[in-house]
Amino acid sequence: MEPRYIYPNDFMADPSAHVFNGKLYLYPSHDREGSVSENDNGDHFDMKDYHCLSLEDPDNGICVDEGMILSIEDIPWAGRQLWDSDVVEKNGRYYLMFCLKDRNDIFRMGIATSDSPTGPFKAEADPIRGSYSIDPCLFKDDDGEVYCYFGGIWGGQLQWYKDNKLIEFPILPKGTELAPQPRVVKMTGDVLQFDEAPRPVVILDSNHIPMQAENLHHFFEASWMHKRGGKYYFSYSTGDTHMICYAVGDNPYGPFVYQGVLLEPVVGWTTHHSICEYNGKWYLFHHDSAPSGGKTWLRSLKVKSLDYDDEGRIIP
């Protein structure tokens, strides 16, 4: 199946795909035409709300908009810029984790809850304690534990943190220095807070050496986790080299060994994705900016199929 557009009615991006109660839902960012010029801080990505989309047939169908599920106006601690989000279900309740700049222009992550996958969601009064950076991915393991993967450099502010603390000068590794590392943290049982200090996600290269900054396949942003055949598949965007890559590990904390490229560069600067099984088939959801004429802040949702070989490697 070749990549195809699945929601031509509006500009959406960063799709997080999940199956709840036998139905496929997407939780994307909602792009808009703002007034800020494009810059490396990402100020031109000035999203204001989230919608839930449903998709009955990924091979041929078009998404249905289930409505707005959360607005920036309904978040007590909001500053600006609602970026990527994700949703997880636990004990019949749905948890939307989102990233948003607070009133000091620092990215934090927050939680909003609902009794329905289509919302509306009600935001907690404060951001998650100890949270920072962007692009949360919520992964529920087979034992019911929920983990959050997050982080993004440049506009995502990850380079301003070391040992989970804000530092005075940013760290942007070069050459043979250790590449930027995403973070992973287990959530509390009620999925409202971190249950521990976030820890680095180690991605090993094909020689089982921690990936260096000069490697074109190093992490930049857009963490995603899925599980198949007892293996944990950590996928991510390489950012300035515009690829989606993946690595495989034996537990949710890693380390993860690099396996290959899932998606080559698309039209537009960002590449952000999710991977989901639905009706016995695997799909890669992502976006590009072709319909907007290459405007990186006006992106459109796409889907393509994924297959696995007999050893569990993804065939892109």
Side-chain angles (χ1 to χ4, degrees):
M1 170 186 167
E2 292 297 316
R4 67 179 195 87
Y5 294 102
I6 53 175
Y7 191 63
N9 300 336
D10 201 352
F11 294 112
M12 302 276 184
D14 312 327
S16 296
H18 293 281
V19 177
F20 297 130
N21 304 317
K23 192 170 183 178
L24 177 62
Y25 296 99
L26 302 180
Y27 299 91
S29 304
H30 188 190
D31 284 352
R32 59 187 286 269
E33 185 73 80
S35 58
V36 180
S37 299
E38 188 173 4
N39 59 57
D40 287 343
N41 289 325
D43 295 311
H44 49 295
F45 296 107
D46 192 19
M47 291 80 92
K48 299 288 188 180
D49 60 31
Y50 296 118
H51 284 234
C52 173
L53 308 179
S54 61
L55 181 59
E56 184 173 339
D57 182 4
D59 293 312
N60 298 291
I62 298 298
C63 289
V64 173
D65 186 356
E66 301 285 350
M68 186 176 71
I69 58 175
L70 184 67
S71 168
I72 196 169
E73 297 173 352
D74 300 321
I75 301 170
W77 54 275
R80 64 189 181 102
Q81 292 184 286
L82 276 176
W83 281 16
D84 178 45
S85 68
D86 196 14
V87 173
V88 72
E89 177 275 331
K90 187 169 183 180
N91 298 326
R93 193 152 179 81
Y94 298 86
Y95 299 84
L96 168 69
M97 183 181 285
F98 56 91
C99 52
L100 170 69
K101 284 182 178 174
D102 64 16
R103 289 164 189 160
N104 294 315
D105 237 22
I106 302 297
F107 268 117
R108 309 289 185 192
M109 286 183 284
I111 290 285
T113 59
S114 176
D115 291 325
S116 168
T118 59
F121 286 78
K122 180 177 175 55
E124 295 291 303
D126 300 297
I128 296 170
R129 292 187 295 273
S131 66
Y132 57 93
S133 198
I134 62 167
D135 289 358
C137 163
L138 292 173
F139 168 71
K140 185 170 74 171
D141 208 346
D142 299 335
D143 60 2
E145 296 286 1
V146 175
Y147 298 85
C148 173
Y149 300 83
F150 68 92
I153 60 176
W154 291 9
Q157 301 181 349
L158 185 62
Q159 71 273 14
W160 289 97
Y161 290 85
K162 182 179 181 180
D163 300 327
N164 301 316
K165 297 185 183 301
L166 192 64
I167 55 179
E168 185 175 1
F169 300 104
I171 300 173
L172 288 170
K174 297 180 180 180
T176 59
E177 296 176 333
L178 183 67
Q181 294 176 313
R183 306 290 192 265
V184 58
V185 59
K186 187 168 72 171
M187 302 297 295
T188 54
D190 59 9
V191 201
L192 298 180
Q193 298 289 337
F194 293 164
D195 195 41
E196 58 188 0
R199 58 181 85 178
V201 175
V202 177
I203 302 172
L204 306 176
D205 65 19
S206 56
N207 295 317
H208 290 236
I209 297 172
M211 197 168 283
Q212 299 172 350
E214 65 184 7
N215 191 316
L216 297 180
H217 303 120
H218 75 70
F219 171 84
F220 187 97
E221 62 185 0
S223 299
W224 188 259
M225 174 60 68
H226 74 280
K227 190 175 183 181
R228 181 182 182 275
K231 294 291 186 179
Y232 296 81
Y233 290 73
F234 180 77
S235 48
Y236 58 93
S237 170
T238 62
D240 47 359
T241 53
H242 316 296
M243 293 176 282
I244 296 294
C245 298
Y246 82 104
V248 174
D250 295 321
N251 68 80
Y253 290 112
F256 301 95
V257 181
Y258 175 81
Q259 301 294 311
V261 175
L262 294 179
L263 189 68
E264 297 290 346
V266 299
V267 175
W269 198 90
T270 67
T271 306
H272 196 124
H273 72 298
S274 62
I275 295 171
C276 184
E277 184 183 20
Y278 180 61
N279 287 342
K281 298 181 180 180
W282 286 91
Y283 297 96
L284 172 71
F285 295 88
H286 60 105
H287 64 242
D288 72 20
S289 298
S292 68
K295 291 184 177 180
T296 62
W297 60 96
L298 294 178
R299 298 159 291 180
S300 296
L301 298 179
K302 302 184 81 171
V303 66
K304 63 172 295 199
S305 59
L306 287 180
D307 293 305
Y308 297 78
D309 66 17
D310 292 340
E311 296 182 359
R313 291 187 295 259
I314 298 176
I315 305 171

